[in-house]
């Protein structure tokens, strides 16, 4: 069961500031989709411009 949960978590298209990145790739703040940043799996998502935000996986960063 644990593996299934982890696989589901890896395909999460969005994550919030303070959570761990589920998969390496390009992620962009929801309010600024043109400002993609590279994150590695396990990194903690930072605030964007000092404000907590939702990060979305960029279409160009998906496998």
């Amino acid at each position: 069961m644990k593996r299934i949960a982890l696989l589901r978590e890896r395909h999460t298209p969005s994550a919030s500031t303070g959570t761990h990145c589920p998969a390496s790739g390009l992620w962009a703040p929801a309010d600024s989709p043109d400002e993609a940043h590279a994150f590695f799996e396990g990194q903690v998502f930072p605030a964007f411009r000092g404000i907590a935000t939702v990060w979305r996986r960029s279409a160009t960063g998906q496998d």
Side-chain angles (χ1 to χ4, degrees):
M1 286 297 195
K2 194 170 192 177
R3 272 192 186 164
I4 293 171
L6 291 175
L7 287 175
R8 196 175 310 135
E9 190 175 300
R10 278 184 168 220
H11 296 290
T12 304
S14 64
S16 302
T17 294
T19 61
H20 293 272
C21 180
S24 299
L26 294 176
W27 292 77
D31 295 338
S32 301
D34 294 334
E35 296 193 43
H37 300 270
F39 289 100
F40 292 104
E41 183 176 344
Q43 276 187 289
V44 176
F45 285 111
F48 181 69
R49 296 184 180 160
I51 300 170
T53 189
V54 172
W55 292 88
R56 298 197 188 281
R57 187 111 189 252
S58 175
T60 57
Q62 293 182 1
D63 314 52

